Amino acid sequence: MHRRALLKHSLMVAIFGALETSLQSAAIASESSQLRSHWGYVGAKSSDHWGELAQDYRLCATGVGQSPIDLHTAVKSELDQLDFSYHTAPLKILHNGHTVQINYASGSTLQLDGQAYELLQFHFHEPSEHTVDRQRFAMEIHLVHRHPQTKRFAIVGVLIKAGAAHPAIATIWEHMPLKQTPETTISQVAINAAQLLPTQSAHFYRYQGSLTTPPCSELVDWIVLSQPIEASPSQIARFIAAVGDNARPVQPLNQRMLLFK
């Protein structure tokens, strides 16, 4: 009897272990796929062909809840305010061949629907991936958070328009790699992601969507802040020189609800 109970226990551990591994694999797919160089933004590797490039990229072509989208005809809603709790961290920067990414030390969170999502990293797109009434902005920052239990992502989009130089971006750009490189920690440089938020974040769009890069997994709560920040034309040009155009075209909204606070 003891042997049978032990066997049953071992089987249950194996099942739940496999399930947890599966969930974790799906949740970190974006990070691992960033290291794979066989997709891109032009030619045969462009977003038009992502779904054909690998088996686990099929959602890029077949998904009905894809991102980014055009932000228009949103339904006004009484959504809870966003609660950012970001701490200063050392600059950990890399160029993964698709964007410039800053990996963030643990401990900074976004409270969303009463749940804490931890800030994992933020990265940049040029031009903006989301559009507002079909108009693109110069760039867009994605602040990527993940729930520790559900492994769902909450990604905050910050739109950037051309204007005055941004001091936090200037600090990051001083150490921006101009070609693909592994993560480098600049320990003497401290950053705080809160400096990349607009002065007012009370108004935002929200919808259910996907990662905007392969494997395009549809496990993202998207929040796009309506107030943009500014970056200078030279700052924008410096990113273009290092990375180039890395924006996925907008995707159909289909039957999803787009909310606005």
Side-chain angles (χ1 to χ4, degrees), residues 50-103:
W50 286 350
E52 309 161 7
L53 297 177
Q55 187 74 6
D56 58 339
Y57 293 179
R58 287 179 300 173
L59 265 182
C60 299
T62 63
V64 294
Q66 291 290 292
S67 298
I69 62 170
D70 181 47
L71 304 171
H72 72 287
T73 62
V75 177
K76 290 187 177 181
S77 304
E78 293 299 320
L79 298 168
D80 290 340
Q81 289 289 351
L82 303 173
D83 184 5
F84 297 97
S85 180
Y86 290 166
H87 305 298
T88 299
L91 178 61
K92 298 181 179 182
I93 189 168
L94 67 143
H95 185 319
N96 60 23
H98 306 298
T99 188
V100 171
Q101 179 172 307
I102 288 76
N103 292 334

Side-chain angles (χ1 to χ4, degrees), residues 155-221:
I155 304 182
V156 176
V158 179
L159 302 168
I160 303 176
K161 66 179 182 180
H166 195 287
I169 292 176
T171 298
I172 296 169
W173 267 209
E174 287 177 9
H175 305 278
M176 178 171 63
L178 299 180
K179 60 181 180 180
Q180 189 169 350
T181 59
E183 179 189 290
T184 301
T185 300
I186 315 297
S187 56
Q188 71 274 21
V189 178
I191 59 168
N192 192 317
Q195 297 172 335
L196 296 169
L197 300 174
T199 56
Q200 186 274 111
S201 58
H203 300 293
F204 54 89
Y205 299 89
R206 184 172 175 183
Y207 73 99
Q208 300 294 309
S210 75
L211 303 174
T212 66
T213 59
C216 306
S217 306
E218 295 178 347
L219 39 68
V220 181
D221 290 297

Side-chain angles (χ1 to χ4, degrees), residues 36-47:
R36 299 164 69 175
S37 59
H38 70 274
W39 63 270
Y41 291 95
V42 295
K45 299 179 181 180
S46 72
S47 59

Side-chain angles (χ1 to χ4, degrees), residues 122-155:
F122 61 86
H123 59 268
F124 299 82
H125 291 273
E126 184 285 322
S128 70
E129 294 203 299
H130 289 92
T131 59
V132 180
D133 292 330
R134 304 182 188 277
Q135 298 299 310
R136 286 196 184 274
F137 284 73
M139 293 184 68
E140 183 173 343
I141 304 171
H142 289 167
L143 296 136
V144 181
H145 312 74
R146 188 172 64 195
H147 192 281
Q149 278 80 48
T150 67
K151 307 303 181 184
R152 283 189 63 85
F153 291 98
I155 304 182

